[in-house]
Amino acid sequence: LIVAGSEADAYNNSPGADSYRGAVWDPSVNDESSISVHNLTYDIFCSGTAALFDGRSLIVGGTAEASVYNSQGENRASIFNPVTNQYVQCQNMVDGRWYATATALADGRIMAMSGLTQTGSTSQTIEIYDLQLAGAGWNPPTSVPFIPPLFPRLDLLPGGRVFYTGHGSGN
């Protein structure tokens, strides 16, 4: 699964010309049909992605406004299904997340952490996506006691705890 780079360029900035795309590459096919391109309804540049237990991918956040490259996070999330090659938007997060990390937890939930919010500040919350919540999707945010970097490096440890291994982008 490949997502497009920034859509904040002169061609895509003209009204009606926004074109958000993602693609799937099949390395077992050795010709131009190995890549299929799909249009999206919003800009998922700088999003976080994690695999769900059933093989689909949860994409969290992205760029809130493609017309101006302003480092404000998108609070939308989508699930990509590789069987149907479709993106389905799911429930929104509370915080926008631009340069967030999405981490699959041992019980199948997905944890979203960090990223720039809709106002451009770094999110100090964790939001957990749970497929079992019958339509609710996201648990209420939980605060972290520090300002995390963008794209923090997180690993799931045996026993279910998440380990913050070091800084992401920035200082």
Side-chain angles (χ1 to χ4, degrees), residues 67 71 74 84 112 128 138:
S67 61
S71 301
E74 177 64 66
T84 63
I128 306 281
W138 293 99

Side-chain angles (χ1 to χ4, degrees), residues 5-70:
S6 173
E7 298 291 348
D9 62 47
Y11 175 77
N12 286 323
N13 285 345
S14 59
D18 295 338
S19 57
Y20 311 123
R21 294 174 292 276
V24 175
W25 173 51
D26 181 351
S28 68
V29 178
N30 195 18
D31 62 27
E32 63 276 354
S33 68
S34 68
I35 298 176
S36 58
V37 177
H38 310 97
N39 290 324
L40 302 168
T41 58
Y42 65 99
D43 192 353
I44 60 174
F45 174 61
C46 292
S47 59
T49 304
L52 297 170
F53 64 90
D54 61 4
R56 297 178 300 162
S57 296
L58 178 66
I59 302 164
V60 299
T63 304
E65 212 176 301
S67 61
V68 178
Y69 191 73
N70 58 6

Side-chain angles (χ1 to χ4, degrees), residues 15-149:
D18 295 338
S19 57
Y20 311 123
R21 294 174 292 276
V24 175
W25 173 51
D26 181 351
S28 68
V29 178
N30 195 18
D31 62 27
E32 63 276 354
S33 68
S34 68
I35 298 176
S36 58
V37 177
H38 310 97
N39 290 324
L40 302 168
T41 58
Y42 65 99
D43 192 353
I44 60 174
F45 174 61
C46 292
S47 59
T49 304
L52 297 170
F53 64 90
D54 61 4
R56 297 178 300 162
S57 296
L58 178 66
I59 302 164
V60 299
T63 304
E65 212 176 301
S67 61
V68 178
Y69 191 73
N70 58 6
S71 301
Q72 292 180 345
E74 177 64 66
N75 70 336
R76 289 185 266 189
S78 292
I79 295 176
F80 173 74
N81 186 330
V83 174
T84 63
N85 280 331
Q86 292 183 325
Y87 296 82
V88 176
Q89 191 173 327
C90 54
Q91 297 79 10
N92 290 349
M93 298 172 288
V94 171
D95 277 347
R97 297 195 183 270
W98 187 79
Y99 275 64
T101 296
T103 304
L105 303 176
D107 60 5
R109 297 178 303 157
I110 303 294
M111 181 179 87
M113 180 179 174
S114 189
L116 297 183
T117 67
Q118 298 93 320
T119 61
S121 61
T122 301
S123 173
Q124 287 184 254
T125 67
I126 291 173
E127 294 182 67
I128 306 281
Y129 187 80
D130 189 345
L131 286 170
Q132 308 306 314
L133 283 181
W138 293 99
N139 287 328
T142 302
S143 295
V144 296
F146 61 97
I147 299 173

